[in-house]
Amino acid sequence: MNVVVKTNAFLESLQAMVISQKLLIPILANVLLRANIMEGEVGLEPTPTLTVISTDLDISVECKIAVDIIEEGSITLPFKKLLDIVREMPGEDISIKVNEDYYTIIASEKSFFYISGLPEDDYPNIPSITGDKYFSILSSVFKRMIRKVAFSVAVDDSRQTLNGGCLSVEGAEVKIIATDGYIFSYAKHILSSPVNQNMCVIIPNKTLNEIMKVLKEESIVDVYLKNNQIMLNFDDIVFTARLLDGSFPDYKNFLPNITQDNVLHINRNTLLNTCRRVSIMNTVDVDVFNICISDNTIEVTTIAPGMGEAKENITDIDYKGENFSVKYKSKHTINVLKNIDIEEIDMFFVSELKAGVINIKTKTEEYFYFIVPIIER
């Protein structure tokens, strides 16, 4: 293989890669580079292309970039070392030449690196999904939906189906739903046209985070679902990942009815900053604060045994309802407030337990947060 590639394009493709952290198979620490002349669409010239590929066996990423090809071929190279080299290259172009013994010369202007590689034959096969796309969505919308709920996904929960976000599609309504038992969140978007078949799948937490990392801001993402795999196709990137087995819990029956009995209208930043300051006193064992509303004042407190306590008041609040006191998980409450984009919010306290509900709607989107109170027995 012998190619010349633009430095910035090559660096951008490498930064989109997923590399295994568990190196049970050593070659998974490598990235696959494949240079060939790809057939163009009808009426178009063939395109010299460098395909950059990585996988950790759960997630695979393929990125295609234009190159000048002197000789077709392929090679796998150590990812971290290659990324460091490309990041520091001085010129606009990088040449990559592979010798017969897989010894690779990477050069730019006066910089030369010599690095050992492995043949493509040793690299795992990358799964692919064929057939028609399931739906299309703007990358900025899909990324925002994931960001709004990803913090609610359970971490290492014995209930495997909670260790991911549920992608639910019904007609033209797309939802991403997540819960860990202490908080329930969903983000909803209305597609321009309905899907042919409703579906509900569970995307692992790691995959959600990688999708947010790889998605560009303004692209059309084609989503494919088949054989317990999800594939995203956008720009010149193909992202494929394995889905979790099992069914997501039926959440519709336990969601509370929102009433106007106890409603707090407040500036999001005011409440967020108060919660952040009070939570400084939290410890590994204590991640709870108490919210008490009385006499048009909110008092937020936390007590860490053996450490101390913190308290802060917000006065002259806009609240309609009865006085009460309730405990919430600090981390979840702060994450909800951090991920809301508007400054003035309504928080509803529902049921006898005073669960906290924030529901934000626009013409094509909806975000719903249900914060479960901590009951001390």
Side-chain angles (χ1 to χ4, degrees):
M1 185 179 88
N2 190 353
V3 301
V4 177
V5 61
K6 292 294 181 184
T7 303
N8 287 341
F10 193 27
L11 178 60
E12 187 175 331
S13 68
L14 290 174
Q15 290 172 333
M17 295 296 108
V18 174
I19 298 298
S20 175
Q21 302 300 315
K22 300 176 182 178
L23 297 180
L24 300 177
I25 305 175
I27 200 169
L28 294 183
N30 285 17
V31 63
L32 170 61
L33 308 180
R34 184 190 295 142
N36 55 11
I37 308 295
M38 301 193 70
E39 291 294 330
E41 296 180 6
V42 177
L44 297 178
E45 294 290 327
T47 306
T49 302
L50 178 67
T51 305
V52 184
I53 301 171
S54 71
T55 184
D56 65 0
L57 301 183
D58 290 321
I59 302 172
S60 303
V61 181
E62 299 182 38
C63 183
K64 292 180 171 59
I65 50 179
V67 291
D68 293 327
I69 295 181
I70 301 163
E71 182 181 357
E72 293 182 316
S74 63
I75 188 68
T76 77
L77 297 173
F79 169 76
K80 290 184 178 179
K81 194 61 66 179
L82 179 61
L83 179 62
D84 289 341
I85 290 171
V86 174
R87 189 181 280 132
E88 298 300 330
M89 279 303 200
E92 293 183 359
D93 299 308
I94 293 175
S95 68
I96 305 170
K97 183 177 181 180
V98 181
N99 295 328
E100 292 182 0
D101 58 357
Y102 305 110
Y103 206 60
T104 303
I105 304 169
I106 304 172
S108 179
E109 294 186 351
K110 298 179 181 179
S111 296
F112 296 85
F113 291 85
Y114 306 87
I115 186 169
S116 295
L118 293 170
E120 179 180 356
D121 294 343
D122 296 341
Y123 207 74
N125 291 326
I126 304 301
S128 62
I129 296 178
T130 58
D132 296 332
K133 66 185 177 185
Y134 187 46
F135 67 88
S136 297
I137 190 169
L138 270 174
S139 58
S140 56
V141 172
F142 200 42
K143 188 173 185 176
R144 182 166 61 248
M145 291 176 69
I146 295 173
R147 176 176 61 84
K148 296 281 191 178
V149 304
F151 66 87
S152 304
V153 175
V155 179
D156 297 328
D157 197 291
S158 58
R159 298 161 294 180
Q160 183 184 4
T161 54
L162 297 186
N163 293 324
C166 173
L167 174 63
S168 170
V169 189
E170 296 182 9
E173 184 179 285
V174 178
K175 279 185 181 178
I176 300 179
I177 310 148
T179 183
D180 66 355
Y182 293 102
I183 186 166
F184 172 89
S185 306
Y186 74 67
K188 182 172 76 174
H189 176 75
I190 305 300
L191 299 171
S192 57
S193 58
V195 298
N196 294 325
Q197 180 183 357
N198 295 343
M199 194 172 293
C200 183
V201 298
I202 305 174
I203 304 174
N205 188 34
K206 179 180 74 171
T207 302
L208 291 173
N209 289 318
E210 291 296 337
I211 290 173
M212 284 194 288
K213 185 180 82 172
V214 77
L215 281 181
K216 299 177 181 179
E217 283 304 318
E218 294 304 330
S219 304
I220 300 294
V221 182
D222 294 332
V223 180
Y224 299 76
L225 293 169
K226 195 173 183 180
N227 300 329
N228 207 36
Q229 300 267 350
I230 183 171
M231 184 176 81
L232 310 180
N233 194 337
F234 57 99
D235 295 336
D236 292 314
I237 295 177
V238 177
F239 180 102
T240 309
R242 186 179 299 166
L243 299 169
L244 287 178
D245 294 325
S247 300
F248 198 76
D250 183 5
Y251 62 90
K252 294 179 181 178
N253 292 329
F254 72 77
L255 289 184
N257 293 321
I258 299 177
T259 67
Q260 302 294 322
D261 295 337
N262 300 285
V263 185
L264 171 67
H265 181 81
I266 194 167
N267 180 273
R268 178 188 64 89
N269 268 322
T270 299
L271 184 57
L272 172 60
N273 291 333
T274 294
C275 292
R276 275 176 166 162
R277 284 189 287 268
V278 170
S279 68
I280 291 172
M281 290 302 295
N282 286 350
T283 64
V284 174
D285 298 321
V286 179
D287 182 34
V288 175
F289 50 46
N290 186 78
I291 293 179
C292 179
I293 298 183
S294 64
D295 301 326
N296 287 327
T297 298
I298 299 178
E299 182 181 82
V300 183
T301 60
T302 188
I303 299 175
M307 175 75 69
E309 62 181 273
K311 177 174 69 175
E312 183 169 325
N313 292 339
I314 305 173
T315 58
D316 298 324
I317 60 173
D318 182 359
Y319 173 71
K320 296 178 182 178
E322 62 186 9
N323 296 341
F324 69 91
S325 179
V326 65
K327 286 183 170 65
Y328 295 134
K329 281 274 190 180
S330 308
K331 179 180 69 175
H332 290 328
T333 307
I334 290 170
N335 278 331
V336 167
L337 296 171
K338 278 169 52 179
N339 282 283
I340 294 174
D341 296 328
I342 61 175
E343 290 309 308
E344 299 295 323
I345 61 171
D346 288 325
M347 189 167 184
F348 302 87
F349 300 95
V350 299
S351 78
E352 294 180 0
L353 300 177
K354 297 298 182 289
V357 174
I358 299 176
N359 190 205
I360 298 167
K361 296 181 180 181
T362 67
K363 188 175 181 180
T364 59
E365 296 181 20
E366 179 183 358
Y367 302 100
F368 181 93
Y369 301 101
F370 174 46
I371 308 170
V372 179
I374 304 299
I375 307 300
E376 296 182 344
R377 302 187 185 280

